[in-house]
Amino acid sequence: MARRATTAKRKKAAPKKSTRKKAAPKKKTGGIGRLMLGGAFVAGTLSAMIAVGSMLELDRASDEFGRASDQKAPNYALAEPEPTPMLRKDYQLSENAPSSTRDRTGYLVGGNRDGAANTGSSTQGLSGFVAPSKPQSEQSAGSNQILPGDSGSDMPATAIGPAGNDVPWRKYAALTPETGQKPVIAIVIDDAGLDQPRTARTVDLPGPITIAYLPYARDLQPQVNAARKAGHEVMLHMPMEPSSKSVDPGPHALLADYDRQTIINEMNWMLDRFDGYVGVNNHMGSKFTSDPERMKIVMEVMKSRGLMFLDSRTSAKSVGYSTANAFGVPAITRDIFIDDADDAAKIADMLARTENVARKQGFAIAIGHPRDLTIGALQKWIPEILAKGFVLVPITDVLRRSSQHATG
């Protein structure tokens, strides 16, 4: 039987191998990886923000440091308690004071309220000499010899005060070394006088520097004399009310709720405590210096006495500098607080910033305090800046350079 022919089975061709390489499968980023990447991004952003914030903080002229400084009080246990002199409304400016008292800073004279002349015995309770006032008939009809503030006006009082080189800010100015075109730095040490040992160490610093004495310290005149003999310049560090009610600015401080006469009364007590100072800067005072009406009274007195004003700027809202300008009082503002933080590294940072400010604008004013870390830092830093080409000068030298109202 014939067999049926069968077709041969074809073998299936083997699939051609692709020459393309298969791409490696993508690794999926896990949650931990994403977290790490996000953390790195956030950290970088925060670092940049901190750096920018630090620069902005410095560029705000240390206003935060000023506010913090406004909250720190020295040891008032070292203050010398003295009563406020009796209220007087009849002070007058005079150029006819006896020679024995003519050199007193911002010398004021006046008569009794009833018009009778003062005698030596009647003025023993007041700081400094009070000379007899001229009879009304002898005074020029056009003369406005009034105590600043007695005018009852919001405008600056017209008063005859010392003129030319006799104004205290010129008369008692420390000698300035030759500066040429070099940038200059004025160091002001506040709160001096209470802690006498540390104040003495401040006086031993290379100078000239400017030392601001609190008016209620003991042995003020001998301390001031020693500072001036060492070539330093002297200011009166006038206490004024801070914003915080829990902070005590000390005795005889100017308070924002005082009336005109009380402010004048307290100022006269403080301004007569010692001689040889060129002007005033505020101790604390964030609240008081922000009060335009009260600062007008202060500047009237300052103008009458031929004093300069350094606005410590314990508040960004201070009107001290602008009010001084309005009254023709020679004035200037601080640039840096050296030691708002009593920390060696931060003090070094602020001293470096002081150099930068001086390079940029030609001068810098830096305020510090008689503390161990500050004094130690200045002892090392002052020779270093002199070697770098800076010149240390008293505050009045910077005033002359920077102020258009330095005619006194």
Side-chain angles (χ1 to χ4, degrees):
M1 186 171 172
R3 291 183 180 179
R4 184 179 295 177
T6 59
T7 56
K9 291 182 180 180
R10 294 180 180 178
K11 292 183 179 180
K12 291 183 179 180
K16 293 182 180 180
K17 292 183 179 180
S18 174
T19 57
R20 294 182 181 179
K21 293 183 178 179
K22 291 184 179 180
K26 293 183 178 179
K27 294 182 179 180
K28 294 183 179 180
T29 304
I32 295 177
R34 286 195 298 269
L35 183 60
M36 292 176 64
L37 288 173
F41 175 78
V42 172
T45 303
L46 287 175
S47 297
M49 291 174 64
I50 291 171
V52 172
S54 298
M55 294 302 295
L56 290 175
E57 181 70 17
L58 294 176
D59 288 340
R60 282 196 294 265
S62 306
D63 284 330
E64 291 293 340
F65 295 142
R67 284 190 286 274
S69 180
D70 189 63
Q71 308 303 313
K72 294 182 179 179
N75 182 7
Y76 295 129
L78 301 174
E80 179 178 2
E82 288 196 20
T84 303
M86 65 178 179
L87 193 67
R88 298 178 58 86
K89 294 185 178 180
D90 55 353
Y91 281 107
Q92 292 179 320
L93 298 166
S94 174
E95 296 176 350
N96 301 315
S99 58
S100 61
T101 59
R102 193 177 298 145
D103 289 338
R104 288 192 62 81
T105 302
Y107 175 68
L108 286 173
V109 298
N112 293 327
R113 290 187 190 180
D114 57 6
N118 283 308
T119 63
S121 61
S122 66
T123 59
Q124 292 299 316
L126 296 175
S127 289
F129 176 84
V130 179
S133 61
K134 291 183 180 181
Q136 186 67 31
S137 60
E138 296 182 17
Q139 294 185 13
S140 170
S143 174
N144 290 319
Q145 289 185 315
I146 58 175
L147 175 66
D150 283 349
S151 63
S153 170
D154 289 335
M155 297 301 292
T158 302
I160 298 175
N165 290 330
D166 287 335
V167 293
W169 81 263
R170 293 182 185 274
K171 180 177 180 179
Y172 297 118
L175 294 177
T176 300
E178 183 63 36
T179 61
Q181 299 300 316
K182 298 177 180 178
V184 301
I185 295 174
I187 298 296
V188 181
I189 301 298
D190 284 352
D191 294 357
L194 287 181
D195 188 332
Q196 293 193 30
R198 288 185 174 87
T199 299
R201 289 177 58 200
T202 300
V203 170
D204 288 339
L205 288 170
I209 62 174
T210 302
I211 306 176
Y213 288 82
L214 286 163
Y216 36 71
R218 299 186 179 103
D219 307 316
L220 272 172
Q221 197 61 60
Q223 292 192 72
V224 168
N225 292 345
R228 297 188 65 214
K229 185 177 181 180
H232 302 307
E233 200 160 79
V234 172
M235 298 192 78
L236 189 150
H237 197 38
M238 186 169 286
M240 301 181 185
E241 184 177 4
S243 297
S244 174
K245 294 183 179 180
S246 63
V247 179
D248 181 10
H252 297 282
L254 303 182
L255 305 182
D257 61 356
Y258 281 173
D259 61 21
R260 178 183 291 270
Q261 190 56 51
T262 304
I263 292 172
I264 293 170
N265 191 52
E266 292 290 13
M267 285 189 71
N268 285 333
W269 182 87
M270 291 185 277
L271 292 169
D272 285 338
R273 288 284 288 142
F274 61 94
D275 295 323
Y277 54 90
V278 297
V280 166
N281 73 329
N282 53 292
H283 171 58
M284 302 188 182
S286 55
K287 181 176 181 178
F288 192 91
T289 60
S290 301
D291 187 324
E293 297 306 313
R294 298 300 180 270
M295 289 305 293
K296 286 178 183 178
I297 303 168
V298 170
M299 293 310 160
E300 288 173 354
V301 177
M302 297 283 288
K303 176 67 174 179
S304 75
R305 289 182 175 242
L307 299 169
M308 65 162 288
F309 179 68
L310 168 62
D311 191 343
S312 300
R313 288 193 66 199
T314 53
S315 168
K317 297 179 181 179
S318 173
V319 297
Y321 178 73
S322 59
T323 308
N325 283 339
F327 280 74
V329 173
I332 200 166
T333 64
R334 62 95 187 160
D335 295 302
I336 308 292
F337 267 120
I338 298 172
D339 56 0
D340 185 72
D342 195 22
D343 176 271
K346 292 182 179 179
I347 290 172
D349 287 343
M350 299 314 294
L351 290 175
R353 171 159 167 76
T354 301
E355 296 178 35
N356 292 336
V357 172
R359 287 191 189 98
K360 182 178 180 180
Q361 65 183 18
F363 63 87
I365 299 172
I367 293 180
H369 301 84
R371 303 170 186 159
D372 291 337
L373 288 178
T374 304
I375 296 170
L378 289 173
Q379 285 173 334
K380 178 182 178 182
W381 180 75
I382 290 175
E384 291 177 351
I385 62 167
L386 298 179
K388 292 177 181 178
F390 294 93
V391 181
L392 205 61
V393 298
I395 194 68
T396 51
D397 180 75
V398 179
L399 176 66
R400 293 186 187 97
R401 293 167 182 267
S402 62
S403 177
Q404 297 179 354
H405 300 277
T407 58

